[in-house]
Amino acid sequence: NAFENYDHTRALELSERFFWTFTDDYMELVKERAYGQQGNYSPEQRASAVFALRLALASLVRLFAPFIPYAAEEVWSWWQTGSVHNSSWPKREELDEIASGELLDLASELLIQIRKSKSDAKLSMRAEILSCTISGPNADLMKAIEEDLKAVGRIHGITFAQADAVTLSDVVLAPAE
């Protein structure tokens, strides 16, 4: 809408906001699964993460092409044919098929709380959490991201509880080395 209204500054602002939210939350959440370094992920789970990241990269490159045309064209050429500037504008429907907005919102909220617990303890984000409790209204949804949360948060054990709001509590951090 911002582009259609010739509001290029707003279009760039929204694209950048999406990019940083995406990288801070979703990319952090799935990179361990994509690389297969943490957790016990199957080849299918790893392939799913890689596919989702590639789809997201294709969308992000198209979003930024009007602002950084040469860099976007170079990145596009790494795995796509033709020019990014001849490709269609990314559409929400492309991502809706593979992503649950509710799941990503939940993961983002929990990652914020995990980072805050480490920051409040004045520990590195790489510090380990021995155990914690995650509470919320939808246990099945929370359990769907358990392995990714364990990997990115370096969490050994998670207990789930039913509650009205999503919260992280009873955090037991590993002693600092």
Side-chain angles (χ1 to χ4, degrees), residues 21 63 66-69 85 90 98 100 122 128 134-135 141:
T21 300
L63 272 177
F67 306 106
I68 49 173
H85 304 290
I98 64 161
S100 162
K122 298 185 180 6
E128 293 185 4
I134 294 176
S135 303
L141 197 59

Side-chain angles (χ1 to χ4, degrees), residues 7 22 41 55 62 75 100 121 123 126 130 134 149 152 158:
D7 188 353
F22 175 80
Y41 299 110
L55 182 61
R62 289 180 286 160
V75 172
S100 162
L123 293 173
R126 299 187 61 79
L130 300 177
I134 294 176
L149 286 173
V152 74
I158 299 176

Side-chain angles (χ1 to χ4, degrees), residues 13-174:
E13 175 190 336
L14 292 169
S15 297
E16 287 175 335
R17 185 180 317 152
F18 171 74
F19 172 81
W20 288 114
T21 300
F22 175 80
T23 55
D24 286 349
D25 296 338
Y26 185 78
M27 195 160 173
E28 282 298 316
L29 189 66
V30 299
K31 75 178 183 183
E32 299 292 341
R33 182 168 22 125
Y35 294 147
Q37 295 174 336
Q38 300 285 334
N40 297 317
Y41 299 110
S42 69
E44 293 82 12
Q45 289 171 314
R46 290 179 57 209
S48 172
V50 170
F51 174 78
L53 290 171
R54 285 185 180 154
L55 182 61
L57 178 62
S59 296
L60 287 167
V61 170
R62 289 180 286 160
L63 272 177
F64 284 109
F67 306 106
I68 49 173
Y70 298 111
E73 189 70 23
E74 175 63 22
V75 172
W76 188 259
S77 74
W78 295 344
W79 89 103
Q80 301 283 355
T81 58
S83 172
V84 67
H85 304 290
N86 290 329
S87 64
S88 65
W89 189 252
K91 295 176 181 64
R92 176 181 293 276
E93 296 80 32
E94 293 176 49
L95 301 176
D96 283 346
E97 291 181 23
I98 64 161
S100 162
E102 185 180 2
L103 189 61
L104 184 54
D105 290 343
L106 173 64
S108 295
E109 176 60 33
L110 288 169
L111 287 173
I112 289 167
Q113 292 185 37
I114 290 167
R115 290 180 190 124
K116 183 176 182 336
S117 69
K118 292 179 181 185
S119 180
D120 288 349
K122 298 185 180 6
L123 293 173
S124 160
M125 292 301 118
R126 299 187 61 79
E128 293 185 4
I129 295 176
L130 300 177
S131 64
C132 66
T133 299
I134 294 176
S135 303
N138 189 335
D140 290 336
L141 197 59
M142 294 184 300
K143 288 179 182 176
I145 56 173
E146 179 178 7
E147 289 303 315
D148 289 326
L149 286 173
K150 283 182 173 179
V152 74
R154 305 201 183 288
I155 303 170
H156 294 277
I158 299 176
T159 302
F160 293 97
Q162 198 69 23
D164 291 336
V166 176
T167 58
L168 177 75
S169 61
D170 304 324
V171 177
V172 178
L173 294 158

